[in-house]
Amino acid sequence: MLRLLHRFPLVTRGLRAISYRARLGRGEPGGEIRYHTIAGDSSHHWSVTLCSTLDPEEIRRWTTAQTLENIEVTDQVSPDRGWFLAPGEDLHSVPPGWLESALLVAFTESIDAMVLAERVSSAPQDLPTSAEDLLDAPWRSLTLFSAQSYRWDPRTDTVRYRRDTPIAKVIGPNGVGSTPPRSLADSPNSRGPYLGARPLPGLLKIGLADHLPAVKTDEGDPRPGILVTVPFLARGGAEHTLFETLKVLHGDYRMAFVTLAPHRAELGDRRNDFEGLSPHFFSLGDWVHPDAMVPMLLHLIDRLNIDVL
């Protein structure tokens, strides 16, 4: 039977769609996410445009607190390339590496908008259920938009689609590896961490870039660079020993941290402590599929001028 279905792909897709709609009708999660490798585009600039009519001094304080160095600011025109942030009336208080981290995920996956709410204390607990929700408060201020798919209108300070079939990724307060506080069955417009403005197909294909743009930073710091990779940073003896050791060494080295597995609340979380040693902190296990991690790690090694892994 399976061999016969493979010979008739249209029938297979039709049966998949019927099964998908039936499961959604019963209130059950439905559909499938399939990841595949795509060629990364090294021509993209590692930068973000902040589109806002807020007080320039407030914007300056917010941007200078971020580790991302290339942040352009405009209050007059929507960018026509790259990624942009249009926070509206609210610039959230976020970790210093927030924008850098959101951009890293945005460059890795074939998505049109990227929401990073993980470890943002003011983020809403109820997750959005459609890409439409990202165009307005409270989610818009935590969303990075692709200029190819969205535009900002400075006259009305609104964000609208350039095309009406965008795919957005939402990393909620608990990351993508944990069940959100209010668990919702997949709806026609949502599947896992992905949202559409229209109902998603039964088979949602997400591309993962095989390489990312290489942009050097920290070139003026002569200290050797160390990238510390760990599964996660719970509250245990191993993490305590690691922290105390690195606390002694951090004055002599540039440090960056990467975690590769989801954090679990019941094990505790020491990431805030380690961020005191370096603002370059990337919780890959809480953000992306494991297949996306290798090019992300290679990119970080190159961009942060890492000497020791």
Side-chain angles (χ1 to χ4, degrees), residues 56-76:
E57 181 59 26
E58 180 182 0
I59 293 175
R60 187 196 65 80
R61 287 194 299 267
W62 192 91
T63 56
T64 55
Q66 288 291 301
T67 57
L68 185 68
E69 296 178 352
N70 300 320
I71 305 176
E72 302 174 11
V73 178
T74 181
D75 61 359
Q76 297 181 352

Side-chain angles (χ1 to χ4, degrees), residues 112 161 163-167 197-198:
D112 303 292
Y161 302 122
R163 57 188 183 89
D164 59 0
T165 56
I167 298 296
R198 293 182 175 182

